[in-house]
Amino acid sequence: RSDAAKKKDVWLRGALGGDSDGDGARGEPWETADDEAAARAAHVEMKYKVAVLGGGPAGACAAEILAQEKNIETVIFERNMQNAKPCGGAIPLCMIDEFGLPPSIIDRKVRKMKMISPSNREVDIGDTLKDGEYIGMTRREILDGYLRDRAVEYGAQPVNALVTKIDCPADDDANGRYAIHFSPNDKGKKAPVETMEVDVIIGADGANSRLAKAMDAGEYNYAIAFQERIKISDEQMKFYDELAEMYVGDDVSPDFYGWVFPKYDHVGVGTGTVVNRPGIKEYQDAIRDRAGSKIEGGKIIKVEAHPIPEHYRPRRLRNRAVLVGDAAGYVTKCSGEGIYFAAKSGRMAGEAVVQAMAQGSKLPTEQELEELYLKPYDKLYKPTYTVLDILQKVFYSSNAAREAFVDMCESKYVQQVTFDSYLYKKVQGNNPIEDIKLLFQTFGSLLRGAAIAQPDKVFNNPVESLKRL
């Protein structure tokens, strides 16, 4: 028999309660053909089991890929099937075709952006967009639900439950299983905690990832994103028909931006911060004030808040446990974008697991998952994270820099590079002449910004600022 078949036999015998000689092994190769035939007949559906924790874009896209491999049993955990994560909801154009999203997922097609500086200078951008190009605005409960339902249609088994604890096998246990302890949400509040054993686990369970803690993935700094969904009049909604607004200034955030993003029949109004999380409600009040009459009289229909990672986890892979999406730290600086990278990382992790498991015939190794998932992902997107990290440190650090940022947005070249990078997820900018012009323009904008900007307000939170997830 092949080595892969022998390993599968070991696992199957262990799953059936092997270790007949009491040596502590999880299972041993079958002694006779009759033994094997009898066990397989009784457990014809026994397969390696992969669990995906989290039913957002990362988890759903991972589960969809896994479920299409019929020799792998796929389970997807989600504690709230109607969950709506606090999120601006913007997705790039490339995601729609790449992930086969139907038109019904898109609430609004944004073709214009209005950038508003600390001094309320407004710059309209979007003239460089071609016909058919736009930023898609979604509601997370609609997007997530669609992707999750599609994974279930392919064969993923949904488990509506809160994962409370994960026991990981030792690093040197090549066949050890993960024990997932969970509290079912569809069996009442007093339902006892249940346990499921799996062979591979993908953590798509957000910034407060249970899997990240179980696998000792390390800590990361994080932002608090706060958003209010506000129902405004039909007349007011006309203003936001194809328009989104971004406000910068230390009044709305000392290190990020505030936004007004149009949805189906309301607007999402929000902000975020890393450096002064205790002040988030003050910044939310300010973004409402800055939007002014455009949302005046609106009714707040939902209030949302959520932690957002600021950088990669120190460790995203351990043995057969893999992190994706927010759990891995895949949110960009400057723009705060995470939906596309969550979906992409989930899909790439799912593909890596399927390939490494060789059609369900063996368990993947940590080295295989690193080669098939982590390295390709970093090669594709680490430059994007690096560039946006630099931009945030330069342009979101003071009111003077924020004034310069908005001033630079008048440049058609800046607009084109920005939109192309966002819409197609590739770092743009390959015109040396324009790049040199942009360098000088940056210095000029910074000087003008320094001349007109008001000093930033001082804040102090030395204890809370050290908190990590």
Side-chain angles (χ1 to χ4, degrees):
R1 299 174 63 81
S2 69
D3 289 342
K6 290 178 181 177
K7 289 180 180 178
K8 184 66 174 286
D9 286 344
V10 170
W11 170 83
L12 182 56
R13 188 175 178 92
L16 298 175
D19 188 22
S20 59
D21 61 5
D23 64 1
R26 293 196 64 244
E28 301 156 1
W30 306 104
E31 295 178 2
T32 70
D34 288 342
D35 290 341
E36 177 178 2
R40 290 188 184 279
H43 297 270
V44 67
E45 293 300 324
M46 189 67 72
K47 305 172 182 177
Y48 286 124
K49 181 180 286 188
V50 179
V52 179
L53 308 185
C61 290
E64 177 184 338
I65 295 298
L66 291 161
Q68 293 177 67
E69 174 49 68
K70 299 309 178 185
N71 290 321
I72 296 174
E73 183 180 355
T74 303
V75 179
I76 180 169
F77 285 83
E78 173 54 53
R79 67 176 179 177
N80 183 358
M81 295 298 183
Q82 284 73 49
N83 184 47
K85 179 185 173 183
C87 177
I91 62 174
L93 185 63
C94 65
M95 183 175 178
I96 296 168
D97 288 337
E98 184 177 349
F99 289 87
L101 300 179
S104 59
I105 292 297
I106 309 300
D107 282 344
R108 301 272 175 172
K109 295 180 178 180
V110 168
R111 296 183 171 91
K112 295 172 287 184
M113 294 283 291
K114 189 179 290 289
M115 313 294 295
I116 300 100
S117 78
S119 63
N120 283 322
R121 178 189 177 189
E122 298 182 358
V123 172
D124 294 318
I125 64 176
D127 291 343
T128 62
L129 289 179
K130 304 179 183 67
D131 291 342
E133 290 186 331
Y134 61 87
I135 298 171
M137 290 293 169
T138 67
R139 285 167 289 166
R140 284 295 299 273
E141 62 269 31
I142 304 298
L143 173 65
D144 294 13
Y146 174 81
L147 292 171
R148 190 166 53 244
D149 289 347
R150 191 166 68 182
V152 171
E153 288 173 6
Y154 275 114
Q157 303 169 33
V159 179
N160 182 200
L162 173 65
V163 174
T164 57
K165 183 183 177 183
I166 301 163
D167 296 325
C168 299
D171 289 343
D172 59 355
D173 188 348
N175 295 308
R177 306 190 87 192
Y178 295 84
I180 302 172
H181 307 281
F182 59 95
S183 177
N185 288 338
D186 54 357
K187 296 183 180 180
K189 293 183 178 179
K190 296 184 179 180
V193 172
E194 299 181 16
T195 299
M196 178 186 296
E197 288 194 345
V198 301
D199 301 286
V200 180
I201 189 166
I202 295 179
D205 47 344
N208 289 303
S209 172
R210 294 277 185 186
L211 181 58
K213 291 178 174 63
M215 60 186 275
D216 193 22
E219 298 177 333
Y220 53 30
N221 202 1
Y222 67 99
I224 286 293
F226 191 99
Q227 178 175 263
E228 295 168 327
R229 299 195 191 194
I230 301 179
K231 178 78 172 177
I232 57 179
S233 70
D234 291 343
E235 192 64 29
Q236 288 171 312
M237 279 301 299
K238 289 180 181 178
F239 177 78
Y240 292 106
D241 185 28
E242 293 186 342
L243 173 73
E245 292 183 312
M246 290 177 58
Y247 293 80
V248 290
D250 71 317
D251 57 334
V252 298
S253 176
D255 57 337
F256 200 53
Y257 64 86
W259 65 84
V260 181
F261 288 170
K263 308 295 183 179
Y264 173 69
D265 61 354
H266 61 277
V267 290
V269 181
T271 184
T273 179
V274 175
V275 298
N276 193 26
R277 293 184 290 259
I280 189 65
K281 289 189 176 180
E282 174 187 340
Y283 301 136
Q284 182 65 18
D285 290 343
I287 182 62
R288 283 200 309 269
D289 290 343
R290 291 277 295 273
S293 62
K294 289 172 285 189
I295 63 170
E296 188 176 8
K299 179 182 178 181
I300 298 175
I301 58 177
K302 191 176 182 66
V303 178
E304 307 163 315
H306 199 76
I308 305 294
E310 276 295 287
H311 53 79
Y312 280 13
R313 287 270 185 198
R315 190 170 193 173
R316 293 167 287 157
L317 167 66
R318 184 168 187 172
N319 201 353
R320 285 168 276 117
V322 181
L323 298 178
V324 295
D326 283 12
Y330 295 152
V331 177
T332 62
K333 295 287 190 71
C334 196
S335 66
E337 183 193 3
I339 297 177
Y340 175 82
F341 297 106
K344 186 68 173 182
S345 63
R347 173 175 282 188
M348 292 180 69
E351 291 170 340
V353 169
V354 169
Q355 184 176 346
M357 292 182 74
Q359 296 181 318
S361 66
K362 70 181 190 68
L363 291 175
T365 66
E366 181 174 320
Q367 183 178 355
E368 287 173 330
L369 294 176
E370 181 175 1
E371 293 294 330
L372 294 171
Y373 162 52
L374 289 187
K375 288 185 178 180
Y377 184 88
D378 288 347
K379 183 177 180 180
L380 281 173
Y381 301 116
K382 202 155 192 180
T384 297
Y385 290 106
T386 300
V387 169
L388 292 176
D389 186 17
I390 294 170
L391 289 177
Q392 177 162 323
K393 289 175 180 175
V394 172
F395 291 111
Y396 287 178
S397 59
S398 68
N399 280 334
R402 297 179 193 108
E403 291 285 355
F405 171 65
V406 174
D407 182 63
M408 291 176 62
C409 286
E410 279 197 316
S411 162
K412 299 301 181 187
Y413 180 64
V414 169
Q415 292 184 30
Q416 182 177 350
V417 169
T418 300
F419 273 116
D420 286 352
S421 298
Y422 176 81
L423 294 177
Y424 303 108
K425 288 295 159 280
K426 294 180 180 178
V427 176
Q428 304 290 325
N430 55 4
N431 186 325
I433 295 177
E434 291 296 331
D435 288 340
I436 293 172
K437 289 181 181 179
L438 180 58
L439 178 62
F440 285 102
Q441 180 185 348
T442 301
F443 287 124
S445 295
L446 288 170
L447 290 173
R448 286 190 293 273
I452 64 173
Q454 295 295 318
D456 287 64
K457 296 177 183 177
V458 177
F459 59 86
N460 184 38
N461 58 343
V463 176
E464 197 281 336
S465 64
L466 298 178
K467 185 177 179 180
R468 299 291 184 266
L469 293 179

